[in-house]
Amino acid sequence: EMITVVASWDSEANVVDLRSQDEYVKGHTRYSASIPLEKLVERRYELPPSGTEIQMVASTKEDLQAGVIILQEHGYSIGQQILWTDDLQCSLASNKLLETGWEGMKLLWKASPCLGEYINQIEQMLLDNTVNSLSEAAAIDLACGSGRELVFLAWRGWGRVVGIDYLPIQLERSENLIHHYKVPEGQVELINRDMEKNSLPTSEEFREAFHLVTVARYLHRPHFPEIGSLMKPGGFLVFHTFMKGCEDTAVGRPRRPQFLLKANELAEHFNPTTGFEIIADKVDYIHDGRPCSFFVARKL
C-alpha cells in the first residue's frame, strides 16, 4: 500500500526510513529508524526478527520497491510503503508527529527476551535499594555481539555500559550501532578480549563494579565461578542462552553439548549457597522455536 498523507501513526509499528541520513535529519516521522537503502542489508541486525512486519518510508517508488525486495528476501512481511512528500511532511507536522535532527528515533530491535522481560523489575529494585538514578548504574554484557543490549541499556539511562567480545566484525558493528543511535561518547566502553582463552577481567575497575551482568546466546562454563566477582552486592545476573533441545528443532543448532545448557544447570551454580537469590528460572521459546534459559539472580 502506498500512502502520502497520514492522520495518525502507530508507535508500535516497525518503520524503517530508507532515505539518506541528511534527509532524515531534515524531517522524519516519530517512531521511525533511519537505515538508508544502500545500508539495509549491511545493517539488517538492527531490525527485529525475520517474520516481523516492516513499514518503509522512502523518497521514490523505486527505493520502496527495492526495499520490498530486500526485506522479503530476508523473510520480513511488508506493511505500509510510505512515499515521503511535502503533503506528508505537512500532515505529520500538523499532527505533531514530525521530528527533526535525531529526535523521535526508535530502536526497532528488542533486547534479549530475558533482559527485556525483567529489566523494569531489575531497575526498580536497584532504584529502591542501591542507586539514586540509573545514571549511577553500571552494566556489562559478556559476548556483546553487535551491541544491541549495550545501546538498549544506554538509551534507558544506564551511566556505564561495557561490552566484551573478541570478533572484530562484532565490535565494529557495536561501534557503528553506538554511533548510529547517538549514544553519548564515553557512556559505552568496548573491550576486545577472547574470554575463552582468558578469565573475565579482574582489574580494580571491574572488581565488584557492576549492578548488572548480562549474557545472551553465549555459554562458557569456566566463567560461572568468576561472574560474581564482577557484581556489586545487590547486583543482577541475567542469563539467556540456548538449552538442550535446540538440536531437535527445525533450526537444529547449536548442537554441541558445550553450547547447550542443561535443565537447572544455572541454579546449581547461582543459588543462596553460592551467594545468589534466584529471581527467575524458567525455559521459554524464542521466535524460531528454540528453547532458551530465562534466568535472573541477585547477588546477596
Side-chain angles (χ1 to χ4, degrees):
E1 179 184 359
M2 197 84 66
I3 65 170
T4 56
V5 179
V6 293
S8 62
W9 205 270
D10 181 3
S11 64
E12 297 302 313
N14 297 299
V15 182
V16 178
D17 194 316
L18 300 176
R19 298 174 300 147
S20 71
Q21 288 194 341
D22 287 345
E23 290 174 300
Y24 184 86
V25 165
K26 289 176 183 175
H28 59 269
T29 178
R30 192 178 303 161
Y31 316 127
S32 65
S34 171
I35 306 179
L37 176 62
E38 66 273 15
K39 297 288 186 180
L40 188 56
V41 174
E42 176 186 331
R43 292 172 57 184
R44 190 168 64 87
Y45 61 92
E46 298 177 31
L47 298 175
S50 60
T52 306
E53 181 180 281
I54 301 290
Q55 300 183 16
M56 290 176 294
V57 177
S59 301
T60 67
K61 293 180 180 180
E62 290 74 19
D63 284 354
L64 286 171
Q65 290 165 355
V68 168
I69 291 169
I70 291 169
L71 291 174
Q72 287 182 333
E73 284 178 349
H74 288 91
Y76 292 94
S77 63
I78 306 301
Q80 294 183 110
Q81 301 168 50
I82 302 159
L83 191 64
W84 189 270
T85 64
D86 291 341
D87 286 345
L88 174 61
Q89 185 161 336
C90 289
S91 174
L92 291 171
S94 65
N95 285 283
K96 299 182 178 179
L97 290 169
L98 183 69
E99 301 281 5
T100 57
W102 297 102
E103 295 299 316
M105 187 165 53
K106 179 180 176 181
L107 302 184
L108 297 183
W109 75 88
K110 291 180 170 53
S112 71
C114 186
L115 184 61
E117 181 172 338
Y118 290 98
I119 189 62
N120 288 334
Q121 181 180 348
I122 288 169
E123 289 176 345
Q124 191 58 58
M125 291 178 73
L126 288 174
L127 290 167
D128 288 345
N129 301 293
T130 310
V131 299
N132 294 313
S133 73
L134 290 179
S135 64
E136 300 174 7
I140 187 168
D141 184 0
L142 305 181
C144 63
S146 56
R148 290 179 292 192
E149 275 69 40
L150 305 179
V151 173
F152 171 78
L153 291 167
W155 268 42
R156 294 180 70 92
W158 287 63
R160 181 190 181 199
V161 185
V162 177
I164 301 180
D165 211 296
Y166 82 99
L167 292 173
I169 188 171
Q170 297 289 48
L171 292 168
E172 182 181 350
R173 284 178 172 178
S174 292
E175 219 167 83
N176 289 338
L177 201 68
I178 291 163
H179 171 72
H180 292 150
Y181 289 88
K182 309 306 172 189
V183 175
E185 187 173 352
Q187 189 177 0
V188 176
E189 175 187 356
L190 296 174
I191 297 174
N192 186 339
R193 186 183 183 91
D194 187 338
M195 294 187 297
E196 298 187 11
K197 293 182 179 178
N198 301 280
S199 63
L200 296 180
T202 57
S203 61
E204 189 63 36
E205 63 177 322
F206 289 92
R207 192 175 303 120
E208 292 196 339
F210 297 98
H211 301 92
L212 172 65
V213 174
T214 180
V215 186
R217 301 191 182 194
Y218 173 75
L219 179 62
H220 187 56
R221 291 175 174 89
H223 290 327
F224 287 176
E226 304 171 342
I227 285 175
S229 68
L230 297 171
M231 300 170 64
K232 290 179 178 289
F236 291 85
L237 169 65
V238 174
F239 213 121
H240 176 73
T241 199
F242 299 114
M243 302 285 300
K244 185 169 174 50
C246 285
E247 69 277 23
D248 300 322
T249 65
V251 177
R253 60 183 190 276
R255 304 189 64 86
R256 296 167 64 182
Q258 71 191 79
F259 301 130
L260 295 170
L261 272 175
K262 301 171 188 172
N264 302 315
E265 187 174 358
L266 290 173
E268 291 172 2
H269 289 272
F270 303 99
N271 56 57
T273 304
T274 59
F276 289 86
E277 173 193 7
I278 296 175
I279 306 295
D281 183 14
K282 64 179 182 178
V283 178
D284 212 335
Y285 295 84
I286 58 175
H287 69 281
D288 59 19
R290 288 181 290 178
C292 283
S293 63
F294 280 57
F295 185 85
V296 182
R298 180 172 173 266
K299 184 177 178 180
L300 299 171

